[in-house]
Amino acid sequence: MSEQRFGEWVAVRRHDHVAELVLDRPKAMNAVSTEMGRRLGEATRALADDPSVRVVVLTSTHERAFCVGADLKERNSFTDADLGRQRPHARAAYTGVLELPMPTIAAVHGFALGGGFELALSCDVIVADGTAVVGLPEVSVGVIPGGGGTQLLPRRVGAARAAELIFTARRVPAAEARELGLVDQLVAEGEDRTEALALAARMAANSPVGLRAAKRALRLGHGLDLRAGLEVEDAAWRTVAFSGDRAEGVAAFNEKRTPQWPGE
């Protein structure tokens, strides 16, 4: 396993074709400061540009928290001008995760609140252990979710449920979060990272061209009417149908062997 650092608080660890994007600011429960947001943006841009990465897993090194959201201690000293200058870096951090072209999995334990939960919502799949507590409490401190929460949460749980959760600012424990669809898999305590990496490895065994095209079709087609959605799917299908991965996949199937994906 190799590791690349992006500043002090963000790392990328490579597990073959799986990249682990690590939140590593334990003294602040991974609160997203201006600097951390800037580094998350850098890391996600590097991952997006790396054709050897097939799946990304977002993890935390803190024992009791995935990420507690924005660094409110830092913001307490901000002027309005400071907050305005920070906004592009904050948006780049969240949209960087959201717009990764390959499948993404969040491995959540402990607190995933505010921007921390928005980072998880930006992923395609959320694996959580029994200690997870999630929520978007921003209105309780005089703001609103600003990392995609007002748009991503209703896409998961519906408009009325999202409104109730955002307007009450309540924290949701793991079992209820699974029941409501706020997380996708609930695993034993301490197993979120292990299970997420195992799931990522199963995904990464498949065609990298196929994985990216399938994600593109899922993301772009969501919310469209059926006819428009099928056109999105057809466009994505065409990017795979004439690829080297498609030829290798068919050949490997007929030759009863494991595919050696060219990734193009």
Side-chain angles (χ1 to χ4, degrees):
M1 180 182 69
S2 62
E3 179 176 291
Q4 179 182 5
R5 303 294 302 190
F6 291 83
E8 184 179 358
W9 300 319
V10 177
V12 171
R13 298 171 181 166
R14 293 297 299 269
H15 310 264
D16 197 8
H17 292 293
V18 175
E20 182 182 0
L21 178 57
V22 185
L23 306 177
D24 188 23
R25 195 187 178 199
K27 291 183 179 179
M29 288 188 166
N30 292 325
V32 182
S33 64
T34 304
E35 174 64 12
M36 189 173 178
R38 182 183 295 112
R39 298 302 187 178
L40 271 172
E42 290 177 3
T44 53
R45 286 192 294 273
L47 289 168
D49 291 338
D50 189 341
S52 70
V53 176
R54 299 180 187 175
V55 184
V56 172
V57 179
L58 182 61
T59 68
S60 162
T61 60
H62 196 283
E63 294 181 355
R64 296 186 293 110
F66 174 72
C67 173
V68 294
D71 187 341
L72 297 185
K73 290 184 179 180
E74 178 189 58
R75 288 193 180 182
N76 191 47
S77 65
F78 276 8
T79 64
D80 288 351
D82 292 333
L83 187 60
R85 283 190 291 268
Q86 186 203 43
R87 181 59 176 165
H89 300 297
R91 288 200 68 184
Y94 298 112
T95 58
V97 175
L98 181 64
E99 294 177 358
L100 283 169
M102 67 287 289
T104 53
I105 304 169
V108 174
H109 60 267
F111 296 114
L113 301 173
F117 189 37
E118 288 172 305
L119 287 172
L121 289 171
S122 296
C123 295
D124 300 300
V125 178
I126 302 175
V127 176
D129 81 354
T131 70
V133 178
V134 305
L136 297 175
E138 283 87 345
V139 297
S140 69
V141 293
V143 291
I144 69 167
T150 64
Q151 305 305 305
L152 295 170
L153 190 58
R155 284 167 166 76
R156 268 190 167 266
V157 300
R161 179 68 69 189
E164 182 262 319
L165 292 169
I166 291 171
F167 297 161
T168 62
R170 72 183 180 94
R171 300 180 179 190
V172 183
E176 184 185 1
R178 176 66 184 90
E179 182 181 343
L180 295 178
L182 298 174
V183 304
D184 303 300
Q185 295 186 23
L186 190 58
V187 300
E189 183 175 337
E191 293 298 311
D192 53 295
R193 176 178 178 271
T194 298
E195 293 294 332
L197 286 171
L199 176 59
R202 292 196 295 275
M203 293 180 181
N206 298 310
S207 157
V209 174
L211 288 171
R212 292 183 181 222
K215 177 167 180 172
R216 190 162 59 250
L218 285 164
R219 285 286 179 90
L220 295 180
H222 185 86
L224 299 179
D225 64 69
L226 179 59
R227 186 178 297 276
L230 290 173
E231 291 303 314
V232 168
E233 180 182 82
D234 184 67
W237 177 86
R238 290 176 184 277
T239 67
V240 179
F242 309 106
S243 70
D245 274 13
R246 192 277 308 169
E248 169 61 12
V250 172
F253 176 84
N254 285 288
E255 296 166 14
K256 297 181 173 56
R257 59 175 175 80
T258 301
Q260 301 299 312
W261 303 114
E264 57 185 21

